[in-house]
Amino acid sequence: MLKIQDLHVKVGGIEVLKGINLEIEQGETFILFGPNGSGKTSLLMTLMGFSGYEIIQGRIYFKDRDITETPTYERARMGIGMSFQRPPTIHGLKTRDMVRLCAGDREVDVEELAEKVNLTNFLDRDINSGFSGGEIKRSEILQLMAQNPSLVLFDEPESGVDLENMALIGKTARAILDGPQEPDNSASLKELQSQYRTSGLIITHTGYILDYINADRGQVLYNGILCCTARPRDILDHISKFGYKECVRCLN
Amino acid sequence: MPKLDNAAGEPRVDLGKYNFERDELPELADLKELSAEDRSRLLMAGIDAGELQRSGTYLHINHSKAHCRSCRKDVEVMDTREALEKYDGLPEYYWQAVDKDKDEFTRAAAENIHGGYFIRTKKGARIKDPVQSCLFIKGENIGQNVHNIVVVEEDSELHIITGCTTSADISSAMHLGISEIYIKKGGKLTFTMVHNWGEEVMVRPRTVALVEENGVFASNYILLKKVRSVQSYPAVFLNGRGAVARFNSILVAPKGSHINSGNKIVLNAPETKGEIISRTITTGGTIIAPGIIEGNAVPAKGHLECKGLILSDGIIHAIPELKGTIAGVELSHEAAVGKIAQEEIEYLMARGMDEDQATSTIVRGFMNVDIMGLPDKLRKSIEKTIEETEKDMF
């Protein structure tokens, strides 16, 4: 699904990603840990193709196509969806219309989707205008549901969210990743997984999101370099005990 | 407003160039007598020729009234000249809010009045459907002098839609308009003005509104098409306790347009509130957007918001001013002139829109008229004009 090869990225003249290699299979959920300023958000922004993230070396492949030079909207249309941590307010653009725009040419029932994330009262408000942390997350998820991507980039789903909202966000995030079908016996789980499941690349600090989603694999991004491949739970336990400084040892 | 006169680069009006000689045109029994082309010009300015869902209509063509009627007993709509005759010169209202000697334009309008609308509600009347007025210019280099008087009597409510436009075949003309607005105790007026001029038209309106206790004045101004020069600075004085004023404007200046359009709110009584919101876009023209809120009583609140987008080389000069003359007033402003934030464009691109789609979505949001609370049909017609305008923007 996603293949990153030896990716080096500069932001404002400073190299923030220093040779990232990462592969995410179809249906796989990958968790990215790392301290503040380690380059996690930069990686997501680069994958989405935003300006200001200058690729100086390496390639990005998505669905076997080289997208290193592909414009952002093209990537979105190919199936990459991103949940923003601090999305801008767009005055005069109603949430309802934004959700419809996310769906592109597909028909979506905006009301029904909004109900799932408890946002029906926000549909007539300008997108992100005066939204709380939890409301932003839910609105981002609502947009992703309409967009129906095959790879979700999720930047800190738990930041600024209270516990009650965390449950709602966790469940809907899982629903997006798991796809529309419940597993049944007519096909093997692996088959179903590759058929329906959406891939995910999720940044987390606290790990709360791990209570809700089925994460397959995780890694720590430290100072622009990926290290410590392990099960996400184990990484989280390790970080909570020893902090990120242990990662330095791992790198040496 | 000394700084507004002779603003740098502002086209000067040569009144001698225009024909102000009164030539009375025959009255129309029905707006449907207008040509289809004229009717569509009117429609773009918010005027419904079928008079559907309207409480009254005043149509002024060139130098005289062409059609005037009220559909309700509780609102009077007539030619100002007739009102002056009927009510002994309207001593309470005629040249009582606007200073006759303010400038050459007010003097010219005082010397030779062509008419204009006189609209007055009955006390306590709630006029649900708007009264529409259109000041229409048909003919090259016509000079039009109108004097409008609006009286909203105690506890009554009124919406006036006024469209100012020229016929499609003319480009140069001059419009002088005096508007005096009186809102009595508890009265409420929504005043929506849509300008849709020819490319060489000069426009010099002079407007003052006086608002009494608990009165509300909500003014909407929409100017989307090219015009040679507009210089307009409506002022509202909130003289009674609890009075409220709001100005919303959406201005677009294509190349060749010079728009000098601002607002003034004076908070003269306790518990008054004023708000000025303007959205301006230049695609090559010049916009000067002054705004002042003056607080002379407490408690009183005022907020001024002025946002400008320069889409292609043009000038936006925002001049927000606040003046407090007493301890305890609360006045604030925010002003921004610039480009569309890259962050907003990229946000939409991440949802699958290409750059042009993203830009036009943001611009359409910027010019959103929802806040104005317009009747459905007018809102749609304005949104359609915005869409058309947008095509020339990028």
Side-chain angles (χ1 to χ4, degrees), chain B residues 30-49:
Chain B
D30 194 305
L31 291 184
K32 288 181 182 128
E33 290 172 32
L34 290 164
S35 71
E37 202 176 29
D38 285 352
R39 285 205 307 266
S40 90
R41 292 289 291 177
L42 260 56
L43 191 65
M44 274 171 83
I47 305 306
D48 188 302

Side-chain angles (χ1 to χ4, degrees), chain B residues 108-239:
Chain B
E111 255 165 47
N112 178 12
I113 176 178
H114 293 153
Y117 52 80
F118 172 79
I119 301 173
R120 177 162 67 173
T121 58
K122 282 238 162 67
K123 209 169 156 174
R126 304 275 152 124
I127 322 285
K128 196 177 126 267
D129 291 327
V131 170
Q132 61 181 358
S133 106
C134 180
L135 308 169
F136 192 37
I137 299 180
K138 264 171 88 76
E140 203 68 11
N141 288 325
I142 291 282
Q144 183 178 64
N145 269 340
V146 293
H147 193 130
N148 309 311
I149 294 174
V150 178
V151 182
V152 177
E153 291 288 354
E154 282 182 25
D155 297 316
S156 67
E157 264 184 54
L158 178 66
H159 187 171
I160 296 176
I161 295 171
T162 175
C164 300
T165 187
T166 44
S167 61
D169 53 333
I170 77 143
S171 64
S172 170
M174 161 92 215
H175 170 88
L176 294 181
I178 307 297
S179 295
E180 301 186 274
I181 297 169
Y182 302 88
I183 300 174
K184 306 284 180 74
K185 248 185 182 176
K188 184 179 174 195
L189 175 66
T190 304
F191 186 82
T192 300
M193 183 158 74
V194 184
H195 276 180
N196 203 0
W197 300 107
E199 300 199 341
E200 290 300 322
V201 177
M202 309 287 279
V203 187
R204 295 290 183 270
R206 298 292 181 256
T207 302
V208 174
L210 306 178
V211 187
E212 295 179 6
E213 200 176 316
N214 292 322
V216 177
F217 178 58
S219 162
N220 302 315
Y221 178 35
I222 297 160
L223 170 60
L224 302 172
K225 296 280 184 177
K226 188 179 165 190
V227 57
R228 183 72 200 96
S229 164
V230 170
Q231 185 200 75
S232 164
Y233 197 62
V236 53
F237 294 83
L238 302 180
N239 294 332

Side-chain angles (χ1 to χ4, degrees), chain A residues 51 73 77 82 94 140 143, chain B residues 346-347 351-353 370:
Chain A
S51 63
Y73 66 89
R77 289 175 190 174
M82 175 161 167
K94 290 204 180 81
E140 289 294 300
Q143 293 171 53
Chain B
E346 293 194 333
Y347 186 47
R351 301 294 186 233
M353 273 168 261
D370 282 358

Side-chain angles (χ1 to χ4, degrees), chain B residues 57 96 121 135 210 225 272 295 311 320 337 394:
Chain B
T57 296
Q96 294 306 300
T121 58
L135 308 169
L210 306 178
K225 296 280 184 177
T272 49
L311 291 185
V337 173
F394 312 113

Side-chain angles (χ1 to χ4, degrees), chain A residues 12 18 22 42 50 56 59-60 71-72 74 90-91 95 103 115 133 147 198 225 229 231:
Chain A
K18 305 165 183 168
L22 176 64
S42 295
F50 287 143
I56 47 173
R59 314 302 304 172
I60 305 167
T72 300
E74 203 70 58
I90 300 178
H91 289 287
T95 304
E115 232 163 78
Q147 207 180 336
T198 299
I225 295 169
T229 310
R231 287 189 305 183

Side-chain angles (χ1 to χ4, degrees), chain A residues 188-204:
Chain A
S188 76
L189 192 63
K190 193 164 164 59
E191 268 172 22
L192 278 172
Q193 183 165 324
S194 64
Q195 222 173 322
Y196 296 114
R197 281 188 61 186
T198 299
S199 309
L201 170 51
I202 300 177
I203 296 178
T204 180

Side-chain angles (χ1 to χ4, degrees), chain B residues 269-301:
Chain B
E271 287 161 41
T272 49
K273 268 196 285 197
E275 187 177 62
I276 298 173
I277 296 178
S278 77
R279 300 263 183 272
T280 59
I281 291 182
T282 174
T283 55
T286 298
I287 296 178
I288 302 168
I292 181 164
I293 303 182
E294 190 179 314
N296 302 322
V298 281
K301 273 188 189 177

